[in-house]
């Protein structure tokens, strides 16, 4: 009779386990979290096609994700082969595993979320290095021009030799700073290539538009303004928290813990996750204020250097005044790039804390990153 019951059983039904929702800070929409039709990862909404391309390609070829997908597929295949009669005892219990993907599937989605964040940070670091390189390159031409003007004015007896000497020193210093900026950009490209698994040439081609290939004059640190407004209204989908919820559910069913202990553990994890999100949101507000302030400082510095340049060429300002103004303007430009970089990073950190770096497809083994080559399977295991 019991055997017949096992044959007819539809399997374990997704009934309440009593772990969700937890009043005062539980999981949002636990049974269907992450399965919304519009649950695209954040970089697909960022308005930065280069970032979207690099992250999509990087995640599709990431070895850690491929190995994790391989393990997930094996686990799901093993679960399908398991005879339902082995779970017959669960049919007579009031507690059931909550609806949703397996703990391993949610853990895989959480890994996607983390890997996307790492790749995005490498991308933003490369953009900062590129912005600094651009600033240094664009500063050379006017500084060389100033040095030439100083030489002509000295030859005409209008100024002392000190102006020409200062001009030469300024150009020499900038040549050294430019070489340093080029080295930093090259290192950032290497790091980004390593994170995404792409060739360095492909990374450079993505970062530098064809029209700028010779000069590499570009400053493309993303502002994320449109995305920030869109994602501010998006509910978190914290895959790591869902993985813990499913694991705790199974632990209760297998008598490895009590429902009360599981609820307490999940409440603690949920509170910690909420605290991380709150901290990231405050950091974003601080980064935004810093960026706004740096933009105002840069605007003032640029006005000052324009006035100093006109004054020097008209003979009403000294070269020392122009030197200080242009050095200050360059410093303000680099500080502004760092502030915008910090703001972009703060956005990514908040979205990562909210678990917005994965999609429902990442819960399905068949749709995870590219299959692991046969020769690499052993390294995955």
């Amino acid at each position: 009779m019991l055997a017949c019951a096992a044959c007819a059983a539809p399997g374990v039904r997704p009934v309440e386990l009593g772990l969700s929702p937890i009043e005062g800070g539980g999981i949002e929409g636990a049974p269907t979290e992450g399965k919304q039709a519009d649950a695209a990862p954040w970089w697909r909404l960022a308005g930065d096609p280069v970032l979207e391309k690099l992250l999509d390609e990087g995640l599709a070829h990431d070895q850690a994700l491929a190995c994790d997908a391989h393990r997930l597929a094996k686990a799901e295949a093993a679960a399908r082969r398991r005879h339902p009669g082995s779970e017959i005892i669960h049919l007579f219990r009031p507690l059931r595993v909550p609806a949703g993907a397996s703990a391993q599937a949610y853990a895989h989605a959480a890994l996607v979320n983390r890997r996307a964040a790492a790749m995005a940070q490498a991308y933003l670091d490369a953009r900062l290095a590129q912005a600094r390189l651009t600033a240094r390159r664009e500063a050379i031409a006017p500084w060389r021009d100033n040095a030439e003007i100083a030489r002509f004015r000295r030859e005409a007896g209008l100024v002392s030799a000190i102006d020409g000497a200062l001009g030469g020193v300024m150009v020499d210093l900038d040549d050294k700073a430019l070489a340093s900026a080029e080295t930093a950009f090259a290192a950032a490209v290497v790091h980004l290539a390593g994170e995404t698994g792409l060739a360095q040439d492909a990374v450079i081609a993505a970062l530098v538009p064809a029209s700028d290939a010779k000069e590499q004059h570009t400053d493309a640190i993303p502002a994320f303004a449109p995305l920030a407004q869109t994602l501010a209204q998006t509910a978190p989908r914290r895959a790591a928290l869902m993985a813990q919820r499913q694991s705790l559910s199974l632990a209760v069913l297998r008598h490895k813990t009590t429902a009360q202990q599981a609820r307490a553990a999940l409440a603690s994890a949920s509170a910690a996750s909420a605290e991380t999100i709150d901290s990231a949101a405050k950091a974003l507000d601080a980064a935004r204020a810093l960026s706004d302030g740096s933009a105002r400082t840069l605007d003032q510095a640029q006005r000052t250097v324009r006035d100093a340049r006109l004054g020097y060429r008209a003979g009403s300002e000294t070269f020392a005044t122009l030197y200080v103004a242009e050095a200050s303007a360059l410093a303000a430009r680099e500080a502004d790039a760092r502030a915008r970089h910090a703001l972009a990073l703060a956005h990514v950190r908040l979205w990562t804390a909210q678990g917005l770096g994965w999609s429902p497809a990442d819960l399905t083994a068949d749709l995870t990153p590219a299959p692991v080559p046969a020769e690499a399977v052993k390294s995955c295991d």
Side-chain angles (χ1 to χ4, degrees), residues 30 43 91 113 128 139 164 175 180 182 199 211 262 273 285 305 330-331 338:
W43 62 88
L91 297 176
N113 188 49
L128 173 60
D175 283 340
S180 176
E182 288 174 339
S211 58
S273 176
D285 289 340
V305 79
L330 178 59
R338 289 193 298 272

Side-chain angles (χ1 to χ4, degrees), residues 291-332:
S291 181
D292 290 344
S294 71
R296 290 191 295 270
T297 300
L298 175 59
D299 184 61
Q300 178 60 48
Q302 289 175 333
R303 287 199 301 270
T304 299
V305 79
R306 283 195 297 269
D307 293 343
R309 191 172 291 145
L310 289 173
Y312 178 71
R313 292 177 182 181
S316 61
E317 293 287 356
T318 66
F319 190 86
T321 299
L322 177 59
Y323 178 94
V324 170
E326 291 193 326
S328 297
L330 178 59

Side-chain angles (χ1 to χ4, degrees), residues 68-259:
D68 198 62
H70 171 69
R71 288 188 287 268
L72 175 59
K74 286 179 63 177
E76 291 188 349
R80 284 193 296 267
R81 288 194 300 269
R82 190 178 299 122
H83 193 280
S86 64
E87 301 291 336
I88 187 64
I89 190 171
H90 298 318
L91 297 176
F92 301 100
R93 290 196 183 133
L95 301 179
R96 298 289 183 266
V97 180
S102 67
Q104 284 177 288
Y106 281 120
H108 178 75
L111 180 59
V112 174
N113 188 49
R114 293 194 301 274
R115 290 298 299 130
M119 293 179 192
Q121 178 165 347
Y123 170 76
L124 293 174
D125 289 348
R127 284 303 195 190
L128 173 60
Q130 191 174 20
R132 292 187 66 250
L133 177 57
T134 296
R136 289 288 173 177
R137 281 184 166 162
E138 291 181 350
I140 281 187
W143 286 5
R144 290 188 186 281
D145 187 44
N146 293 337
E148 281 297 301
I149 293 174
R151 183 174 65 82
F152 291 146
R153 294 185 67 193
R154 179 180 63 79
E155 291 174 352
L158 299 176
V159 296
S160 66
I162 189 68
D163 280 24
L166 278 174
V169 169
M170 194 171 187
V171 171
D172 289 343
L173 288 175
D174 194 58
D175 283 340
K176 293 178 181 177
L178 176 59
S180 176
E182 288 174 339
T183 300
F185 178 60
V189 167
V190 170
H191 179 58
L192 178 55
E195 283 290 343
T196 59
L198 303 176
Q200 292 181 32
D201 289 346
V203 170
I204 292 176
L207 293 174
V208 183
S211 58
D212 294 339
K214 291 184 179 180
E215 299 297 329
Q216 295 184 6
H217 283 182
T218 185
D219 181 350
I221 300 173
F224 289 144
L227 177 63
Q229 185 175 3
T230 299
L231 292 184
Q233 303 171 349
T234 302
R237 46 179 190 268
R238 294 165 289 178
L241 203 56
M242 291 300 296
Q244 186 168 359
R245 176 178 182 271
Q246 301 300 73
S247 293
L248 287 168
S249 300
L250 289 176
V252 172
L253 287 173
R254 293 167 180 168
H255 296 294
K256 293 183 178 180
T257 189
T258 66

Side-chain angles (χ1 to χ4, degrees), residues 12-13 22 61 76 112 139 149 219 256 264 289 307 330 334 340 343 362 366 369 371:
V12 179
R13 293 189 301 273
I22 295 174
H61 298 91
E76 291 188 349
V112 174
I149 293 174
D219 181 350
K256 293 183 178 180
D307 293 343
L330 178 59
E334 292 191 336
R340 289 183 289 114
L343 178 58
D362 295 308
D366 293 339

